[in-house]
Amino acid sequence: MLSAEERKSIIKLIHQQVVPAIGCTEPMAVALCVSKAKELLGTLPESIDIQLSANVLKNAMGVGIPGTGMIGLPIAVALGALIGKSELGLEVLRDCDKAAVTRGKEYISEDRINISLDENAPDKLYIAVTCKAGSHETEARIGGEHTNFIYLHKDNEVILDKPLHKTDNDEGEEVKLTLRKVYDFATQTDIEEIRFILEAKKMNEAAAADGLRDNYGHQLGKTMCSPLGKGIMGDGIFSKILSTTSCACDARMAGAMIPVMSNSGSGNQGICATMPVVVFAEENHNTEEETIRALIISNLTAIYIKQHLGSLSALCGCVVASTGSSCGITYLMGGTYEQISFAVKNMIANLTGMICDGAKPSCALKLTTGVSTAVMSAMLAIQNKHVTSMEGIIEDDVDKSIRNLTDIGRNGMDETDRFVLDIMTNKNSK
């Protein structure tokens, strides 16, 4: 039984990790860091030097920047300096318009921006921005999480300097989750205390609708909704889950100027943890309360897994988020805690090892793979069918199975991560 204090801490954690974001979170985090350094400077920088960890660089190279029609970091950096507002967090470029884009292109052409890889970055999510104008210099650093400023200085004055990671003595340390705690919280908490999660449903449904209206990215969602797609995939619950999720991802990764509700610093994870649950609940005629509780199960499971995996890793985030959505769908099917744990084991047995090769339009393909596996895993779980501890990395204890997944993603795939980045940064020279 969860204590009142644990419930309060979990609600706070969800509010921290499920937040609106416009555009891919890595370039937005860079723009956020630039905007803070520029605000400290008090004037438009004459030069901006940026050092990034490999994972941030990887996720920012090939993704569309909302409202610009452009791809990659330079325009995000320029707009962060020109119109960025750090108080908006991951919506830092919310005020972008055509005039700002024009100014941004001019700023880039003036060769003011220098972006480099920090091979000795202290974290997989690390951004350091130095802005200069005249005799003045400012620096801002983000680490660990996309909006976590760890260092600020102007000229000789250090304004902020805090540890990259929390210590055991930090006030209000993050609650340590287990799958049982996730389930108990989602199913036992007063519904009015968790109704706020419907905002994720509303926001991500709007993104999916936008993706269906326009031609974004590879148009995976639209293709599945076309006569060709319906002729092959049918028009049932499964195809609707896949197409709706893909539409939202198509729009977001191509740079649509629309907010999505993110999860653990990723808009795609937010989409993947939300839309499959929403569509299944509507098609299955679940009640609003059941939908709310399923969305909490899905989003909180993703948060739990990310607690151990870290904000960025070599493991594709769709593995994490679709595991959450499989849990939510299993619950909507009438599943028990035991059957939800079966769904988790099925997911880990199937998707472990899917690499992250950066944020880009084709992420919609990976999300769709993850979501299709989520539905399949739930179907097996509700019939008490699951991968056992006699197979692969699965253990009898579901939390140990999750730890095996995150250990592989966080540590075991480090060399893969370096190899992927090397390919991405050198493929045009080979």
Side-chain angles (χ1 to χ4, degrees):
M1 190 74 176
L2 293 171
S3 68
E5 191 60 35
E6 280 183 306
R7 290 183 194 280
K8 182 180 177 182
S9 296
I10 292 173
I11 289 173
K12 180 181 178 182
L13 176 63
I14 297 172
H15 279 299
Q16 289 172 339
Q17 298 296 334
V18 180
V19 297
I22 295 177
C24 178
T25 43
E26 277 70 54
M28 291 307 106
V30 174
L32 172 63
C33 202
V34 170
S35 71
K36 176 64 80 172
K38 183 257 181 155
E39 288 163 4
L40 291 175
L41 192 65
T43 188
L44 189 65
E46 294 170 3
S47 67
I48 303 175
D49 290 294
I50 301 171
Q51 288 194 308
L52 304 173
S53 61
N55 289 79
V56 172
L57 184 61
K58 180 180 71 174
N59 278 351
M61 290 172 60
V63 69
I65 306 302
T68 68
M70 299 173 68
I71 289 173
L73 273 172
I75 189 63
V77 171
L79 291 174
L82 291 164
I83 55 99
K85 294 179 180 177
S86 65
E87 67 267 22
L88 296 178
L90 293 177
E91 294 183 283
V92 59
L93 302 185
R94 191 168 67 191
D95 296 334
C96 178
D97 56 21
K98 289 184 179 180
V101 174
T102 299
R103 290 167 59 204
K105 290 178 180 178
E106 292 173 355
Y107 193 84
I108 294 169
S109 70
E110 293 165 358
D111 201 25
R112 298 171 180 259
I113 300 168
N114 179 53
I115 301 168
S116 60
L117 170 66
D118 184 348
E119 295 183 352
N120 299 307
D123 192 82
K124 290 184 178 181
L125 199 168
Y126 181 75
I127 302 162
V129 175
T130 300
C131 290
K132 296 178 182 179
S135 61
H136 298 288
E137 177 179 307
T138 60
E139 184 178 3
R141 300 176 197 164
I142 285 175
E145 297 178 1
H146 292 79
T147 58
N148 182 39
F149 284 97
I150 57 173
Y151 183 83
L152 300 171
H153 92 246
K154 180 176 182 180
D155 297 331
N156 296 320
E157 179 188 1
V158 175
I159 300 166
L160 174 70
D161 190 2
K162 67 177 186 179
L164 178 62
H165 300 292
K166 291 181 180 179
T167 66
D168 291 340
N169 296 322
D170 283 341
E171 184 179 350
E173 188 183 3
E174 195 173 83
V175 63
K176 300 302 183 195
L177 295 170
T178 63
L179 191 66
R180 182 86 228 189
K181 283 185 180 181
V182 169
Y183 177 81
D184 287 349
F185 174 82
T187 57
Q188 297 172 13
T189 301
D190 184 277
I191 197 67
E192 295 306 320
E193 293 189 71
I194 55 178
R195 184 176 293 277
F196 65 85
I197 200 67
L198 288 177
E199 186 60 27
K201 173 181 180 292
K202 177 182 176 182
M203 192 172 288
N204 292 346
E205 278 182 325
D210 197 64
L212 186 58
R213 278 193 299 269
D214 213 330
N215 293 329
Y216 290 112
H218 300 294
Q219 301 170 45
L220 178 59
K222 288 191 75 169
T223 298
M224 284 191 282
C225 290
S226 69
L228 172 65
K230 289 183 178 180
I232 295 172
M233 301 288 293
D235 196 24
I237 297 176
F238 183 63
S239 64
K240 288 179 181 177
I241 288 173
L242 300 189
S243 61
T244 305
T245 304
S246 301
C247 279
C249 185
D250 283 332
R252 177 177 178 267
M253 300 312 286
M257 195 64 177
I258 50 170
V260 300
M261 193 66 82
S262 67
N263 183 299
S264 304
S266 166
N268 280 351
Q269 285 171 194
I271 291 167
C272 195
T274 302
M275 293 316 300
V277 174
V278 167
V279 175
F280 186 89
E282 289 176 351
E283 294 293 319
N284 197 46
H285 303 293
N286 288 100
T287 66
E288 182 180 71
E289 178 174 340
E290 289 168 341
T291 302
I292 290 170
R293 296 195 186 281
L295 285 170
I296 291 291
I297 288 174
S298 180
N299 279 274
L300 194 52
T301 297
I303 292 168
Y304 164 39
I305 298 173
K306 290 292 283 187
Q307 279 185 333
H308 296 278
L309 182 63
S311 296
L312 296 177
S313 75
L315 188 69
C316 178
C318 81
V319 176
V320 174
S322 58
T323 299
S325 62
S326 188
C327 293
I329 291 170
T330 304
Y331 171 79
L332 291 171
M333 289 177 173
T336 62
Y337 167 74
E338 184 181 37
Q339 289 167 323
I340 286 172
S341 70
F342 291 165
V344 172
K345 292 178 182 181
N346 292 339
M347 291 296 293
I348 293 171
N350 194 328
L351 287 182
T352 297
M354 182 183 286
I355 65 166
C356 170
D357 56 341
K360 60 214 174 299
S362 61
C363 284
L365 293 164
K366 294 190 178 186
L367 252 67
T368 305
T369 296
V371 171
S372 64
T373 305
V375 176
M376 181 171 60
S377 296
M379 287 169 56
L380 289 173
I382 202 66
Q383 300 177 80
N384 297 314
K385 297 173 182 176
H386 64 96
V387 179
T388 70
S389 60
M390 299 297 291
E391 306 170 68
I393 64 171
I394 301 304
E395 302 202 29
D396 290 326
D397 185 324
V398 67
D399 294 295
K400 288 183 179 179
S401 297
I402 289 172
R403 215 75 79 248
N404 292 342
L405 167 71
T406 57
D407 284 348
I408 290 169
R410 189 182 64 250
N411 300 317
M413 296 175 70
D414 273 352
E415 184 61 28
T416 299
D417 214 18
R418 287 189 287 271
F419 204 85
V420 167
L421 182 64
D422 182 65
I423 290 172
M424 290 175 64
T425 54
N426 292 293
K427 58 185 176 182
N428 291 328
S429 63
K430 293 180 179 180

